[in-house]
Amino acid sequence: MRTRSDQAGLTAGEIHAREGPAEAPDLVITTDPMTFALLGRGDLSVPEAIEFPTEGGVTANAFFYRPVNPQYTAPAGELPPLIVYVHGGPTSAVSNALDISDQFWTTRGFAYLVVNYGGSTGFGREYRQRLNGLWGVVDVDDSVNGARYLIDRGLVDGNRVAITGGSAGGYTVLRALTSTDFFKAGASHFGISDLEVFHKDTHKFESMYDQSLLGRWPEDRDVYRERSAIHSVDRITAPVILFQGLEDKIVPPNQAEVIVEALRKKGLPVAYLPFEGEQHGFRIAKNIKRALEGELYFYSKVFDFPLADLIEPVPIENLKQPAGTT
């Protein structure tokens, strides 16, 4: 069992069955060296595979997790807020295997949509090639349309929709916030903000990866510039939180810092949590916990709801009122 934070190499937790009825064992789920959570079968949100229409008359794929927590009940008539998770890669994929970070959100009242946008592996060559030359377009469209699909069916609150992701997924977060006004909040975990700088600074193994996704360099430099969030910060209208490892060599800290500074100068709501000793994908247990709880705290302030957890506050600059309010 692995968590999304583990995708860059973290040794994650274990699952143990506790004593109990054979037909319904409880689960103790831990992340070494700290105990992460104690969940019973009734606490787990089981993902539903969904297909939804998207741009170009094609179908995209996702897993939808409904909020589940037997100890709490939502107010009558209230729909849950939604978090749209965008995987990294960008040409990887997410499965419906147990992932503790998904359950972190669903046990706290959030609906959670894990999108396998066009370009994801596992759905055939044509589906995978949808992203060629269109990174920053297809992934954004599919993330928006997946959320819209749930909103149209009355499953989630359209005024409380956030988007989150790491690395290439963090890029999609920033791109979505600068090319649409659909999302009410965003969380970028070590995401790319400047594709030109990324092309020049990234490690050798992926040094040509971006050219199939965007265009030839330097011939198509205008595409790299146009799809870089750093050049469109003035279009951001939603609060943003950024998480960054200060020893990241794949997406260096300056990719987050330029966004933070630009948002500060424009007076837009922004929070920034840098982590000493972390690289590309967090590995230290206390930092993984801090990132999850920091994101939860951020949403509590943006969407104006009380927290049941005792969480260390995150400074949010320029936040004047909750998102979705007037």
Side-chain angles (χ1 to χ4, degrees), residues 12 29 42 54 76 83 106 133-134 155 166 173 210 221 233 245 290 292 294 306:
I29 302 175
T54 190
I83 299 174
T106 56
L134 291 172
L155 297 173
V173 169
D210 56 354
R221 185 172 184 172
V233 174
R290 175 60 172 155
L292 274 170

Side-chain angles (χ1 to χ4, degrees), residues 135-215:
W135 188 26
V137 178
V138 166
D139 44 327
V140 171
D141 288 342
D142 289 0
S143 298
V144 169
N145 287 324
R148 188 171 283 139
Y149 177 86
L150 299 177
I151 294 168
D152 290 346
R153 280 154 182 75
L155 297 173
V156 299
D157 184 351
N159 290 317
R160 295 185 294 172
V161 181
I163 183 170
T164 186
S167 191
Y171 163 73
T172 301
V173 169
L174 297 174
R175 173 70 175 150
L177 296 175
T178 55
S179 62
T180 80
D181 60 0
F182 181 83
F183 296 100
K184 308 306 180 186
S188 171
H189 298 251
F190 38 92
I192 304 161
S193 64
D194 190 329
L195 292 168
E196 294 178 273
V197 172
F198 177 73
H199 176 83
K200 298 172 184 176
D201 287 356
T202 195
H203 59 122
K204 183 178 180 180
F205 182 72
E206 291 186 336
S207 61
M208 301 294 288
Y209 191 16
D210 56 354
Q211 297 197 50
S212 66
L213 300 168
L214 296 162

Side-chain angles (χ1 to χ4, degrees), residues 24-311:
D26 286 338
L27 298 176
V28 179
I29 302 175
T30 65
T31 297
D32 190 26
M34 66 175 184
T35 298
F36 190 89
L38 177 62
L39 298 176
R41 181 178 293 275
D43 298 304
L44 294 175
S45 178
V46 178
E48 305 167 33
I50 65 171
E51 296 180 345
F52 55 89
T54 190
E55 308 305 312
V58 299
T59 297
N61 299 271
F63 293 108
F64 176 52
Y65 295 77
R66 299 173 188 263
V68 174
N69 191 322
Q71 300 180 55
Y72 296 91
T73 303
E78 183 173 334
L79 294 172
L82 173 68
I83 299 174
V84 176
Y85 173 81
V86 187
H87 67 70
T91 55
S92 61
V94 284
S95 75
N96 60 353
L98 176 64
D99 188 302
I100 296 306
S101 59
D102 299 338
Q103 306 299 324
F104 176 88
W105 296 110
T106 56
T107 55
R108 287 161 176 80
F110 287 87
Y112 202 69
L113 183 69
V114 180
V115 181
N116 276 313
Y117 51 82
S120 303
T121 58
F123 301 91
R125 179 177 297 181
E126 184 177 349
Y127 195 87
R128 159 62 190 85
Q129 292 179 341
R130 282 184 57 214
L131 200 63
N132 289 359
L134 291 172
W135 188 26
V137 178
V138 166
D139 44 327
V140 171
D141 288 342
D142 289 0
S143 298
V144 169
N145 287 324
R148 188 171 283 139
Y149 177 86
L150 299 177
I151 294 168
D152 290 346
R153 280 154 182 75
L155 297 173
V156 299
D157 184 351
N159 290 317
R160 295 185 294 172
V161 181
I163 183 170
T164 186
S167 191
Y171 163 73
T172 301
V173 169
L174 297 174
R175 173 70 175 150
L177 296 175
T178 55
S179 62
T180 80
D181 60 0
F182 181 83
F183 296 100
K184 308 306 180 186
S188 171
H189 298 251
F190 38 92
I192 304 161
S193 64
D194 190 329
L195 292 168
E196 294 178 273
V197 172
F198 177 73
H199 176 83
K200 298 172 184 176
D201 287 356
T202 195
H203 59 122
K204 183 178 180 180
F205 182 72
E206 291 186 336
S207 61
M208 301 294 288
Y209 191 16
D210 56 354
Q211 297 197 50
S212 66
L213 300 168
L214 296 162
R216 300 297 297 175
W217 179 272
E219 295 88 339
D220 296 314
R221 185 172 184 172
D222 58 326
V223 175
Y224 287 70
R225 183 175 182 83
E226 188 273 330
R227 295 190 199 160
S228 294
I230 190 59
H231 300 303
S232 305
V233 174
D234 58 326
R235 299 180 190 172
I236 296 179
T237 59
V240 186
I241 186 169
L242 299 97
F243 303 86
Q244 181 67 45
L246 294 180
E247 295 182 11
D248 193 335
K249 303 299 183 184
I250 297 174
V251 180
N254 67 325
Q255 290 277 331
E257 291 162 359
V258 291
I259 285 287
V260 172
E261 187 57 31
L263 291 172
R264 282 173 177 159
K265 288 182 178 178
K266 292 185 175 293
L268 296 173
V270 61
Y272 180 46
L273 284 181
F275 292 97
E276 293 280 357
E278 293 288 8
Q279 301 179 34
H280 195 65
F282 303 154
R283 294 163 172 78
I284 301 171
K286 67 176 182 179
N287 294 339
I288 296 170
K289 182 174 185 287
R290 175 60 172 155
L292 274 170
E293 292 184 342
E295 190 171 343
L296 175 61
Y297 179 88
F298 178 76
Y299 293 145
S300 78
K301 296 303 179 183
V302 170
F303 294 141
D304 193 27
F305 62 83
L307 286 172
D309 306 89
L310 292 176
I311 292 177

